[in-house]
């Protein structure tokens, strides 16, 4: 080795830099900074775009530390050998270790079965293969590294990525995975403490904490790495992880915690949620975001009205042409239904072997998803139609391009998906956008502007989720028990429960012990006992089994498994969809046309249909609201000049909107009062997103009805809302301004909404997280959604009648306001509307902006005609009237 090379490889990170040199790479400054800070004993948050080398940045510090420990152990062992002290000292010196590491790293990678065990434990090439008996007798290892990931698929990918440097560095580590997809063998190794590094999910970590021996096994941890922290931050999974991390910090106060996050609008809050005990912890900035170019498949002809032609599948020839222009592509859809439709459409015209086109979404069987992922890695799949199931950092360097069907609805989502192509450091990002209707072209132009300005959405973290806290308490009571006062201090050390008061804490303890006041007479809700020493414990084996089966915060509508009559599983669809079908009916799922044979024990047995088509399942919650960041940019772009290719393509549409009414603008609130088709319609365009507009429509209906008794129908989209009174009324600008007043918001919302029914629906998910709706025991038929709804509804009614102050009832109402109605954003929207100039336009016809809202309101009307047919006919009439 040259002198210059030896000099360059000095320092604590020399082994890693030697490996980088062997690969022809150079460590990025942010990678070396994270390594340095880790070795100095610091915790922190790394913020860097996907594909920039974040895995090696986070993993490098623990690997270097492990190498140093291993080298020190080897030196100690060598000195103990009689007659070989001098030779051993020379052989294990740092310089010799570095030299041997560099030589080894430059050699071909170890890949044979004789050199690498299936769990990732690296053996020296000259070591004899470990037999099953030898491995079983191996001494337990001290778990050093815990890697937490939000997705099971990402866990598998991370395991593969970690094996390469561990193997090359000659580190005597055994690594494994503990997730829902892990093998029984991996789960056993994790439970028996025979791993040095463990990759897991928040739910599986909580499951580990539920065992009495978890404390001693996890107290040896040196580091916890939380990958894709931005995906956990804004939901209850992140709250559950905050509580688990607080327990790990209690077990080892010297524990180092590092988070890895993509770009966020609230990075400081993300750091404080991850490291609430270290308010001055560093945030390390990675590389600058990729240069992102957005290319749009523009329609061949200008569309005057958004619903005249539906530019979705009409774009199929252009999409196919783009797919064939590159070797490998990811085609992202926003919903599972949309992904199924596009996969079916592409299958009908796919010019290559059918197996080169794959489908990937969260409702498919894990084996099908894994096959699609492997096809991307090895190049056997040319295109995968996917949803957000592939948004996160699964590494696919071979993907050449990304296409986005429809609006991404958020800037961060577009950046994340664009980063899936050419997933390598230094590569520029590129995404091809495919509009499904004309106004989405405005959203693409707005997204380009937002990316250029660096405007990224924030993800606020939930606070005081008492259902999650109750679940965590039962977990710890099962995992050896806890002292109430000590756990209170621990819980208050998290950001999520920093404001937890004594009253709420006593309510949580009372709930896990007896279900609360109203449920205290039902033994099924007595899960935790307090012993003579004051320790809270779980002693009932049935409670223990049911709790471990229900750990986690992911709730969904009732799922029915789909299995081939002769073959394996395909995935799951919602019970509400399959429940309406009869034997012999066909539906489209998992890229196949299936025929229902029978429905039995929450399993749909199907066969492949020989011919014909079928309906595509629809999953609740499929509509993705426009983020506030992108919505504000859309409004600003509407008012700008038409320089972007997207706006030039719909120039006549925008000119028509300006001619008939006006274009939206940030300083004006556009309102259209339309008398058309024998009715009056009030259109308001605050550009606040679908969820906010739903609450706003209910609020305006109440206030308008107070002034003039009437009945109203309404519809909303991401741009605005429409209210249609049953009785003819007149309306002036000052009337609209009064309706939009921010005063008395909460009182009016309570009166305008059926809050009890909304809370009842929200309560079902809360009850499942809190443990009031335990799953069926193994061997028994799973409970249907109808049964779960009946059970949660009964408990809800009992609590409202006999314990109206129950903590879960208050939580349900609070979450309705926070999550469903987004009351904070609603108040901000009303205050924003009151500051703007109200721009009211009385009209005799619908405009390009109001027409989609009117079309949406037509969905609920009874007719012998299909909704799409009626809308297209109305669009054609409007286009003909305004042609010129």
């Amino acid at each position: 080795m040259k002198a210059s090379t030896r000099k360059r490889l000095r320092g604590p990170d020399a082994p890693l830099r030697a490996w980088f040199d062997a690969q022809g790479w150079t460590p990025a400054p942010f990678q070396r900074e994270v390594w340095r800070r880790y070795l100095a004993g610091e915790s922190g948050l790394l913020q860097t775009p996907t594909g920039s080398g974040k895995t090696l940045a986070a993993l490098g510090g623990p690997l270097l530390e492990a190498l140093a420990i291993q080298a020190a152990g080897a030196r100690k062992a060598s000195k103990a050998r009689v007659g070989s002290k001098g030779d051993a000292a020379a052989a294990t010196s740092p310089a010799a270790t570095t030299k041997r590491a560099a030589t080894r790293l430059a050699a071909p990678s170890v890949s044979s079965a004789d050199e690498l065990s299936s769990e990732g434990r690296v053996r020296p090439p000259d070591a004899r293969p470990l037999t099953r008996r030898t491995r079983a007798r191996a001494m337990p290892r001290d778990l050093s590294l815990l890697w937490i990931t939000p997705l099971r698929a990402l866990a598998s990918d991370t395991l593969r990525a970690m094996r390469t440097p561990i193997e090359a560095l000659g580190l005597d580590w055994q690594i494994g995975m503990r997730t829902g997809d892990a093998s029984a063998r991996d789960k056993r190794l994790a439970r028996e403490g025979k791993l040095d590094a463990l990759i897991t999910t928040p739910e599986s970590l909580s499951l580990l904490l539920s065992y009495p021996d978890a404390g001693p096994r996890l107290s040896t941890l040196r580091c916890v790495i939380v990958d894709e922290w931005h995906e956990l931050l804004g939901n209850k999974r992140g709250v559950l992880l905050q509580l688990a991390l607080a327990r790990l910090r209690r077990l080892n106060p010297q524990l180092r915690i590092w988070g890895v996050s993509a770009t966020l609008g609230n990075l400081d809050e993300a750091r404080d949620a991850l490291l609430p005990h270290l308010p001055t912890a560093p945030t390390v900035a990675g590389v600058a975001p990729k240069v992102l170019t957005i290319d749009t498949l523009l329609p061949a002809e200008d569309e005057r009205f958004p619903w005249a032609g539906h530019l979705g599948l009409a774009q199929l020839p252009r999409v196919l042409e783009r797919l064939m222009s590159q070797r490998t592509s990811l085609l992202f859809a926003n919903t599972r239904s949309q992904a199924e439709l596009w996969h079916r459409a592409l299958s009908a015209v796919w010019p290559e072997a059918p197996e080169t086109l794959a489908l990937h979404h969260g409702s498919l069987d894990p084996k099908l998803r894994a096959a699609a992922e492997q096809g991307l890695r090895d190049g056997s799949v040319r295109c995968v139609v996917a949803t957000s199931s592939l948004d996160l950092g699964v590494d696919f360097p071979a993907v050449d391009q990304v296409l986005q069907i429809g609006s991404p609805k958020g800037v961060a989502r577009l950046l994340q998906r664009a980063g899936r192509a050419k997933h390598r450091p230094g590569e520029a990002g590129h995404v091809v956008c495919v509009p499904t209707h004309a106004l989405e072209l405005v959203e693409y132009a707005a997204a380009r502007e937002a990316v250029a300005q660096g405007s990224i959405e924030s993800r606020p973290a939930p606070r005081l989720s008492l259902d999650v806290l109750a679940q965590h308490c039962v977990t710890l009571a099962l995992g050896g028990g806890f002292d109430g006062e000590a756990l209170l201090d621990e819980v208050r050390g998290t950001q999520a429960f920093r404001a937890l008061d004594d009253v709420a804490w006593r309510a949580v303890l009372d709930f896990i012990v007896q279900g609360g006041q109203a449920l205290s007479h039902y033994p099924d809700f007595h899960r935790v006992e307090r012993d003579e020493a004051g320790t809270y414990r779980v002693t009932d084996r049935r409670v223990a089994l049911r709790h471990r089966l229900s750990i986690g915060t992911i709730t969904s509508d009732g799922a029915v498994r789909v299995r081939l009559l002769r073959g394996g599983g395909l995935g799951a669809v919602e019970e509400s969809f399959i429940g309406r079908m009869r034997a012999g009916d066909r539906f489209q799922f998992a890229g196949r046309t299936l025929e229902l044979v029978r429905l039995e024990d929450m399993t749909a047995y199907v066969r492949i249909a020989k011919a014909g088509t079928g309906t595509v399942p629809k999953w609740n919650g499929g509509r993705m609201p426009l983020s506030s960041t992108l919505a504000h940019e859309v409004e600003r772009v509407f008012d700008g000049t038409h320089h972007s290719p997207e706006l030039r393509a719909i120039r006549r549409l925008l000119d028509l909107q300006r001619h008939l009414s006006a274009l939206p603008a940030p300083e004006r609130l556009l309102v259209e009062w339309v008398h058309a088709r024998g009715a009056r319609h009030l259109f308001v365009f605050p550009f606040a997103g679908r969820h906010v507009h739903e609450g706003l429509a209910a609020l305006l209906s109440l206030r308008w009805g107070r002034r003039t008794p009437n009945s109203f129908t309404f519809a909303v989209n991401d741009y605005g809302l429409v209210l249609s009174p049953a009785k003819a009324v007149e309306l002036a600008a000052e009337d609209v301004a009064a309706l939009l007043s921010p005063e008395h918001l909460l009182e009016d919302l309570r009166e305008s909404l059926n809050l009890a029914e909304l809370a009842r629906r929200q309560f079902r998910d809360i009850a499942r997280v809190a443990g009031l709706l335990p799953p069926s025991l193994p061997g028994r038929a799973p409970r249907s959604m109808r049964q779960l709804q009946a059970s949660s509804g009964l408990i809800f009614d009992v609590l409202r009648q006999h314990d109206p102050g129950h903590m879960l009832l208050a939580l349900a109402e609070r979450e309705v306001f926070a999550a469903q109605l987004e009351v904070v954003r609603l108040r901000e929207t009303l205050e924003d509307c009151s500051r703007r100039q109200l721009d009211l336009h009385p009209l005799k016809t619908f405009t390009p902006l109001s027409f989609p809202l009117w079309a949406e309101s037509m969905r609920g009307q009874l007719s012998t005609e299909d909704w799409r047919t009626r809308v297209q006919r109305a669009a054609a009439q409007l286009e003909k009237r305004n042609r010129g």
Side-chain angles (χ1 to χ4, degrees):
M1 185 179 294
K2 295 180 180 180
S4 59
T5 304
R6 287 198 299 271
K7 181 179 180 181
R8 180 159 47 89
L9 292 180
R10 290 174 181 170
D13 62 355
L16 260 184
R17 285 188 290 140
W19 178 59
F20 270 71
D21 281 348
Q23 311 304 310
W25 303 340
T26 301
F30 78 89
Q31 291 175 319
R32 296 195 65 186
E33 181 181 356
V34 173
W35 303 343
R36 176 179 59 78
R37 288 184 178 276
Y38 176 86
L39 294 175
E42 295 184 53
S43 299
L45 178 65
L46 168 63
Q47 177 262 311
T48 190
T50 183
S52 59
K54 59 184 178 62
T55 300
L56 288 173
L59 182 62
L63 293 185
L64 290 168
E65 182 180 52
L67 282 173
I69 294 173
Q70 182 173 293
R75 286 195 298 271
K76 184 176 180 181
S78 297
K79 289 179 181 179
R81 296 193 189 112
V82 178
S84 59
K85 292 182 179 180
D87 293 341
T92 57
S93 66
T97 301
T98 300
K99 182 176 181 179
R100 286 199 307 275
T103 303
R104 180 169 53 247
L105 295 173
S109 298
V110 178
S111 60
S112 70
D114 288 339
E115 295 168 322
L116 181 64
S117 69
S118 59
E119 305 85 19
R121 181 185 176 184
V122 178
R123 298 191 295 272
D126 58 346
R128 287 182 296 176
L130 294 175
T131 65
R132 181 174 299 179
R133 179 176 298 179
T134 304
R135 193 178 291 115
R137 292 177 178 176
M139 293 295 292
R141 292 167 173 262
D142 289 340
L143 184 65
S144 298
L145 171 64
L146 192 64
W147 188 291
I148 299 171
T149 176
L151 286 182
R152 289 176 290 183
L154 191 54
S156 301
D157 193 75
T158 302
L159 182 64
R160 283 186 290 268
M162 288 175 64
R163 281 175 174 164
T164 301
I166 288 174
E167 169 191 337
L169 290 169
L171 184 60
D172 184 24
W173 259 20
Q174 185 161 288
I175 61 175
M177 186 172 69
R178 178 62 175 93
T179 70
D181 288 345
S183 66
R185 188 170 177 278
D186 274 350
K187 293 177 181 178
R188 187 185 72 253
L189 287 172
R191 282 280 301 114
E192 294 176 354
K194 296 181 179 179
L195 295 175
D196 299 277
L198 177 64
I199 303 167
T200 189
T201 60
E203 294 76 20
S204 293
L205 173 57
S206 290
L207 182 61
L208 287 175
L209 290 173
S210 74
Y211 291 96
D213 60 352
R217 295 199 186 282
L218 295 175
S219 63
T220 63
L221 279 172
R222 295 176 175 272
C223 177
V224 175
I225 296 172
V226 182
D227 200 4
E228 306 286 358
W229 172 233
H230 59 282
E231 286 295 325
L232 297 169
L233 173 65
N235 53 53
K236 288 185 179 181
R237 297 184 74 201
V239 175
L240 186 66
L241 182 56
Q242 286 187 51
L243 291 168
L245 291 176
R247 169 56 40 154
L248 295 181
R249 292 196 303 269
R250 176 62 63 93
L251 294 174
N252 179 10
Q254 303 305 314
L255 180 69
R256 281 156 291 181
I257 300 173
W258 278 86
V260 180
S261 174
T263 307
L264 277 170
N266 56 332
L267 201 59
D268 288 344
E269 182 182 4
R271 179 200 59 195
D272 294 343
L274 182 70
L275 304 167
H277 61 301
L278 298 173
T280 60
T283 299
V284 178
V287 301
K290 287 184 177 182
V291 176
L292 175 62
T293 57
I294 299 175
D295 186 16
T296 303
L297 290 187
L298 300 174
E301 297 181 2
D302 183 34
E303 295 291 332
R304 289 181 178 273
F305 282 89
W307 292 91
H310 296 274
L311 301 177
L313 291 177
Q315 295 271 58
L316 184 60
R318 297 188 191 93
V319 171
L320 182 63
E321 182 180 354
R322 280 299 181 107
L323 294 178
M324 293 297 102
S325 70
Q326 298 289 336
R327 180 65 190 88
T328 311
S329 303
L330 271 175
L331 181 66
F332 277 109
N334 287 340
T335 67
R336 287 165 284 186
S337 299
Q338 195 178 38
E340 291 275 357
L341 282 168
W342 271 91
H343 182 270
R344 182 172 69 179
L346 283 170
S347 298
V349 297
W350 194 246
E352 299 187 359
E355 58 269 19
T356 63
L357 175 66
L359 179 65
H360 193 292
H361 61 70
S363 291
L364 295 181
D365 185 84
K367 292 181 180 178
L368 298 179
R369 299 200 306 267
E373 294 165 16
Q374 184 57 35
L376 283 175
R377 291 189 187 92
D378 60 28
S380 61
V381 169
R382 183 150 187 183
C383 174
V384 174
V385 184
T387 62
S388 55
S389 56
L390 283 183
D391 271 4
L392 298 185
V394 180
D395 195 359
F396 299 127
V399 174
D400 296 309
Q401 69 174 345
V402 166
L403 290 84
Q404 165 68 40
I405 301 295
S407 168
K409 299 298 183 182
V411 182
R413 184 177 297 109
L414 185 65
L415 289 171
Q416 190 78 25
R417 292 180 173 180
R420 299 295 93 218
K422 299 178 181 178
H423 190 86
R424 297 180 289 268
E427 292 280 1
H430 181 73
V431 62
V432 179
C433 294
V434 184
T436 60
H437 63 80
L439 285 182
E440 281 184 337
L441 294 170
V442 182
E443 296 184 32
Y444 296 148
R448 184 184 288 110
E449 291 292 326
V451 168
Q453 298 169 14
S455 299
I456 305 294
E457 291 86 1
S458 297
R459 303 194 187 191
R463 309 297 172 98
L464 296 176
S465 300
L466 299 182
D467 52 345
V468 182
L469 179 57
Q471 181 187 120
H472 181 69
C473 288
V474 178
T475 296
L476 297 187
L478 185 56
F482 67 85
D483 174 78
E485 290 300 319
L487 184 56
L488 176 59
D489 290 339
E490 181 181 316
V491 167
R492 282 177 174 166
T494 66
Q495 183 200 61
F497 296 99
R498 187 172 292 160
L500 181 69
D501 58 33
D502 292 340
V503 174
W505 176 241
R506 287 194 296 269
V508 170
L509 295 178
D510 181 57
F511 171 72
I512 64 173
V513 169
Q514 61 179 8
Q517 177 185 343
L519 302 178
S520 60
H521 301 295
Y522 300 91
D524 284 349
F525 302 118
H526 298 179
R527 294 179 288 166
V528 177
E529 298 178 3
R530 191 179 186 190
D531 62 19
E532 295 179 356
T535 302
Y536 291 85
R537 301 182 186 275
V538 171
T539 59
D540 190 316
R541 293 183 61 187
R542 188 180 63 170
V543 171
L545 178 57
R546 282 182 166 167
H547 179 74
R548 288 190 175 116
L549 288 172
S550 61
I551 281 177
T553 64
I554 301 175
T555 60
S556 61
D557 291 284
V560 173
R561 290 173 295 177
V562 179
R563 293 188 64 86
L564 290 170
L565 199 60
R566 293 179 178 84
L570 297 177
V573 297
E574 288 188 359
E575 179 188 348
S576 58
F577 169 78
I578 207 73
R580 294 192 296 266
M581 304 190 74
R582 296 176 295 181
D585 287 350
R586 295 171 179 173
F587 63 101
Q588 187 78 20
F589 180 66
R592 302 164 172 86
T593 301
L594 306 173
E595 180 181 315
L596 179 64
V597 177
R598 68 178 184 272
L599 182 62
E600 182 179 285
D601 292 338
M602 298 297 288
T603 300
Y605 293 93
V606 300
R607 64 167 61 99
I608 303 292
K610 295 181 179 179
T613 60
T615 58
V616 175
K618 290 186 178 180
W619 286 264
N620 289 332
R623 284 189 174 178
M624 199 178 288
L626 196 68
S627 73
S628 58
T629 299
L630 188 54
H632 292 323
E633 192 62 35
V634 166
E635 187 177 38
R636 196 187 68 80
V637 166
F638 259 119
D639 192 42
T641 56
H642 308 157
H643 290 314
S644 70
E646 293 86 1
L647 295 181
R648 287 198 301 269
I650 56 170
R651 182 183 65 254
R652 285 187 290 171
L653 186 73
L654 299 179
D655 289 343
L656 180 60
Q657 173 68 36
R658 182 189 290 109
H659 172 72
L660 294 176
S661 173
L663 286 170
E667 71 279 1
R668 299 192 309 269
L669 176 64
L670 178 62
V671 179
E672 295 177 356
W673 180 229
V674 181
H675 186 189
R677 294 182 172 266
R680 293 182 182 273
H681 312 275
L682 177 67
F683 296 91
V684 185
F685 298 99
F687 286 83
R690 181 181 298 273
H691 288 170
V692 171
H693 294 156
E694 286 176 349
L696 184 58
L699 181 71
L700 297 186
S701 298
L702 168 76
R703 291 176 173 178
W704 199 352
R706 281 176 180 167
R707 299 166 63 91
T708 306
N710 212 328
S711 296
F712 302 91
T713 58
F714 71 86
V716 302
N717 63 16
D718 285 317
Y719 297 172
L721 60 97
V722 57
L723 286 177
S724 304
K727 300 177 184 177
V729 292
E730 296 300 325
L731 198 66
E734 54 270 20
D735 299 321
V736 178
L739 296 178
L740 292 169
S741 170
E743 297 181 3
H744 309 296
L745 173 60
L746 289 179
E747 297 90 334
D748 287 350
L749 277 178
R750 291 179 187 276
E751 185 179 345
S752 63
L753 297 167
N754 187 349
L755 192 59
E757 183 57 32
L758 292 176
R760 179 191 297 272
R761 296 175 188 173
Q762 190 70 20
F763 181 80
R764 186 190 69 204
D765 290 344
I766 289 172
R768 291 168 74 177
V769 172
L772 288 180
L773 300 174
S776 300
L777 294 175
R780 299 185 181 181
R783 302 169 71 187
S784 69
M785 180 52 60
R786 184 174 299 176
Q787 291 171 321
L788 289 174
Q789 288 173 335
S791 298
S792 66
L794 177 61
I795 296 173
F796 181 83
D797 291 337
V798 168
L799 293 181
R800 285 198 71 194
Q801 183 175 355
H802 300 288
D803 193 2
H806 196 281
M807 68 172 197
L808 296 187
L809 292 183
L811 179 61
E813 182 175 315
R814 180 157 55 87
E815 288 191 1
V816 166
F817 281 125
Q820 294 188 29
L821 302 177
E822 298 191 41
V823 70
V824 173
R825 282 189 61 193
L826 179 54
R827 183 181 297 279
E828 292 173 351
T829 298
L830 289 174
E831 292 173 348
D832 180 57
C833 290
S834 66
R835 289 191 293 266
R836 300 196 200 190
Q837 174 188 348
L838 199 148
D839 192 10
L840 177 63
H841 294 265
L843 302 171
K844 297 294 184 180
T845 185
F846 297 118
T847 66
L849 280 177
S850 61
F851 180 77
L853 277 166
W854 173 84
E856 190 70 25
S857 69
M858 292 279 289
R859 282 185 183 271
Q861 296 184 11
L862 296 176
S863 173
T864 57
E865 285 187 301
D866 173 74
W867 169 79
R868 189 182 299 272
T869 301
R870 289 181 288 150
V871 168
Q872 288 180 340
R873 184 176 63 247
Q877 293 171 354
L878 285 168
E879 187 161 353
K880 181 178 179 181
R881 180 186 307 167
N882 291 283
R883 184 174 296 149

